[in-house]
Amino acid sequence: MAKAKVAFYWCASCGGCEEAVIDLNEDILKVVDAVDIVFWPVALDFKYKDIEAMKDGEIAVSFINGAIRNSEQEEIVKLLRKKSGLVVAFGSCSHLGGIPGLANFHDREAILTRSYETAPTVVNPDRILPQLSTKMPEGELTLPEFSETVKALDQVIDVDYYLPGCAPPADLIMGAVTAILEGNLPEKGSVLAPEKSLCGDCPRGEKKPEKLVMKDVKRVHEIIPDPEKCFLEEGLICLGPATRSGCDSRCIKANMPCRGCFGPTKEVRDQGAKMASAIASILGLEGEEEFSEEKAAEIVNKIADPAGTFYRFSLPSSLLRTRKRE
Amino acid sequence: MAKRITINPITRLEGHGKIEIFLDDKGDVENAYFQVPELRGFEQFCVDRPADEMPRITTRICGVCPMAHHMAATKTLDDLFHVEPTPTARKIRELLYSIFMVEDHTLHFVYLGGPDFVVGPDAPATERNILGVIGKVGLEAAGKVIDTRKRLRAIITNIGGKIIHPVFGLPGGVSKGITEEEREEIVKVAKDTVEFAQFLLKLFDDVVLKNKTYVDLIVGDIYKHNTYYMGMVDENNHVNFYDGELRVVSPGGKEIAKFKAQDYLEHIAEHVEPWSYIKFPYLKAIGWKGFVDGEESGVYRVAPLARLNASDGMATPLAQSEYERMFDTLGGKPVHNTLAFHWARLVEALYAAERMLELAADPELTGTNIRNIPTATPDEGIGVVEAPRGTLFHHYQTDKDGILTGVNLIVATVNNSAAMCMSIKKAASGLIKGGNVSEGLLNMVEMAFRAYDPCLACATHSLPGEMPLEVNLYDSNKNLIRTIKRD
């Protein structure tokens, strides 16, 4: 029997998802033995024309990482969608927009202007910007179009499953691959990770007080946190309450608070709104006489860049992004 | 009618790229362009974010060398918040950085650049990858690579939080210390890593230097450019990845500048072309003269060979003797042959391994004073490290609350962008004659950029213990073309 054909592709991403696949170590042997990898630019010398030459649906599954930032990425993911039975959004950028999605706080023009005109090292008196088409003496050179906004993968093509994380951990990757190969998949649209929130998994959970109160807000460089206490109790913003578990609390174990790369749990539509509500409920305002409204406002204002923090990995797929752009 | 050849996407590198080659009526190369079709715009979208988050945001510029961005950002925060890291924190940072360098260099040589030499530049595309490498060098050698990589990455995961996108860097220190037990384990791994780096150099000798065809390619004119070189050096002008001053040497090998990171604006400028999203840095003092080499052109190169050219030697003994051997063999400094980047990379891997061992042996590494809390008002900070792919600049400006108002980044590979374009054109011109183009020749054009921006691996195969293994390789018609077997 012919082996299942598998493709890996990256859009606006950093290569971390590709490293995550390599970090499967010995397990990747099982994967390579069970499937036929037909496209993987970082590792194998297949080109776009090889994919174009394939029949529709010929690829069993395409794993696509990265956000959608330009027209070439849109074209290739549509091509892969056509040629693939299943499409899995692999990693935070593809799942939710990821860190490149923070660009949706800024206009397209502002990004181009900064990069090519006003950055302090740039010398560009003729105000040249990258062009979709440039006539050179020998012929035309073309570039993909830098889009107005960054999109998550499912805002461009139909996505069957999501593997969360920046980057996804090895056990979840292997779990997904095994489920696909065995045809043992949950309902379409599922995120292939545990359902509970990160707080439920947190190694500091045991010492968490019964009623968690956040009395002040600090930034990571301002205090040395107790390595056993809940970060929120210490005044440090930690996205644990608004984030899906499954990452093995990797950042928390290094004594740094969560930034939410796994995205929200199933019941939550908007990770940032969930985080705002979580903070509001622990600020200790209710029944705490020492907190005047001014005091409350003062504390809340200490949250530096709430939007960029609460939506660190999910802005393009959030409600905020929809409201801003429509 | 002139003919056009497009290579899209270019492969076995990290990121996106395209090559357009134009042939004239005789079928010779009229011109060739190396295009980068992507921009993400970190310089703008980091604005309005808290500066203290930058070590965790800028790691997403590159997941292959996230440690380089993490460390450049962390050092920039030291400068921005006017705080020195504690001695223990500084050592922890440099230790993790050394581990990262040896691991990343190994990855490139074995998985990305390696297939071109080990399997052969014009081997079939289906074999020119890590599986082909395993077939050639044998499972024992490949297993050594996987095992070393795994052990090194485990140390970074434990101390840095995550191997992909570490989180431990803070202004004035690090978030987590090292225990004595961990230190002892790191010493063991470091000793093995020094041996491993020597093994890689031996492999390079056996596979590449003993093969006349490859040596001819390395020293030949197709892959050669007389350019300026830049790299970070310590107070003895020895290569340093973590800290020091930036030194620039001319194509003739003369020092023309030596400056602190904070003065980079006086020395580096960037040119823009309409046909690529990548910018083209050049030496301000010489100026932008187009995609040409020589003393008159401000084009400079960075990364392993450039660092060795720009320094007076290596700070550790084994690497120093390999440094001398390389320059003796290739005819003295500076070496302009682009493919020699591969050799220089292995000399650096040995230095990084030796430095890892030195730092791991230092009792101060396990100190508990790992952070100085900043007290000054933040304003502006500049930080530089040597990433595997070259000098990496981070530059932030903030308001008094440490909220970013300006960000400028010159990422390692960007420094080499003009040189990569030139190398692609020269390789294409030298290889494609009279319209004679084969897939193998086009791969040899791609080799010109792979020497600079090696990059991420592919299907890594860990080869544990006694586990039997069979890997089958198929072509696009499902025909079995190769079986790699281990009982």
Side-chain angles (χ1 to χ4, degrees), chain A residues 2 36 40 52 70 111 125 133 183 298:
Chain A
D36 189 8
W40 195 10
E52 282 158 8
N70 68 38
I111 293 169
S133 164
E298 188 195 315

Short mmCIF file of all heavy atoms in Angstrom, two decimals, chain A residues 2 36 40 52 70 111 125 133 183 298:
data_model
loop_
_atom_site.label_atom_id
_atom_site.label_comp_id
_atom_site.label_asym_id
_atom_site.label_seq_id
_atom_site.Cartn_x
_atom_site.Cartn_y
_atom_site.Cartn_z
N ALA A 2 0.47 2.21 -0.80
CA ALA A 2 1.25 3.45 -0.86
C ALA A 2 1.18 4.17 0.48
O ALA A 2 0.16 4.14 1.16
CB ALA A 2 0.69 4.35 -1.96
N ASP A 36 5.24 9.59 3.46
CA ASP A 36 6.12 10.02 2.38
C ASP A 36 6.06 11.54 2.36
O ASP A 36 5.03 12.13 2.02
CB ASP A 36 5.52 9.41 1.09
CG ASP A 36 6.43 9.59 -0.09
OD1 ASP A 36 7.57 10.03 0.10
OD2 ASP A 36 5.97 9.28 -1.21
N TRP A 40 8.77 20.08 1.87
CA TRP A 40 9.24 20.62 3.14
C TRP A 40 10.45 21.50 2.83
O TRP A 40 11.59 21.06 2.88
CB TRP A 40 9.63 19.49 4.11
CG TRP A 40 9.76 19.97 5.53
CD1 TRP A 40 9.40 21.19 6.03
CD2 TRP A 40 10.31 19.24 6.65
NE1 TRP A 40 9.67 21.27 7.38
CE2 TRP A 40 10.22 20.09 7.79
CE3 TRP A 40 10.85 17.97 6.80
CZ2 TRP A 40 10.67 19.69 9.03
CZ3 TRP A 40 11.29 17.57 8.05
CH2 TRP A 40 11.19 18.41 9.16
N GLU A 52 2.19 21.70 -7.60
CA GLU A 52 1.20 22.01 -8.65
C GLU A 52 0.93 20.79 -9.52
O GLU A 52 -0.19 20.59 -10.00
CB GLU A 52 1.71 23.18 -9.52
CG GLU A 52 1.52 24.51 -8.83
CD GLU A 52 2.44 25.60 -9.37
OE1 GLU A 52 3.14 25.37 -10.38
OE2 GLU A 52 2.46 26.69 -8.75
N ASN A 70 1.26 37.70 3.43
CA ASN A 70 1.35 38.24 2.08
C ASN A 70 0.65 37.35 1.05
O ASN A 70 0.16 36.26 1.37
CB ASN A 70 2.80 38.54 1.69
CG ASN A 70 3.64 37.28 1.54
OD1 ASN A 70 3.18 36.25 1.05
ND2 ASN A 70 4.89 37.36 1.97
N ILE A 111 4.22 50.22 8.79
CA ILE A 111 5.23 49.15 8.85
C ILE A 111 6.25 49.32 7.72
O ILE A 111 7.46 49.25 7.94
CB ILE A 111 4.55 47.77 8.77
CG1 ILE A 111 3.71 47.54 10.04
CG2 ILE A 111 5.57 46.66 8.59
CD1 ILE A 111 2.78 46.36 9.98
N PRO A 125 17.01 58.24 0.02
CA PRO A 125 16.51 59.57 -0.35
C PRO A 125 15.40 59.53 -1.40
O PRO A 125 14.56 60.42 -1.44
CB PRO A 125 17.76 60.27 -0.92
CG PRO A 125 18.73 59.18 -1.24
CD PRO A 125 18.43 58.05 -0.31
N SER A 133 6.07 44.75 -8.85
CA SER A 133 6.73 44.49 -10.13
C SER A 133 7.80 45.55 -10.37
O SER A 133 7.56 46.73 -10.19
CB SER A 133 5.69 44.53 -11.25
OG SER A 133 6.35 44.64 -12.49
N GLY A 183 -6.42 7.22 11.95
CA GLY A 183 -7.78 7.64 11.65
C GLY A 183 -8.62 7.81 12.90
O GLY A 183 -9.84 7.61 12.91
N GLU A 298 -5.38 53.40 39.38
CA GLU A 298 -3.91 53.50 39.42
C GLU A 298 -3.27 52.13 39.19
O GLU A 298 -2.32 51.99 38.43
CB GLU A 298 -3.50 54.06 40.79
CG GLU A 298 -2.04 54.40 40.91
CD GLU A 298 -1.64 54.60 42.38
OE1 GLU A 298 -2.38 55.28 43.11
OE2 GLU A 298 -0.60 54.03 42.78
#
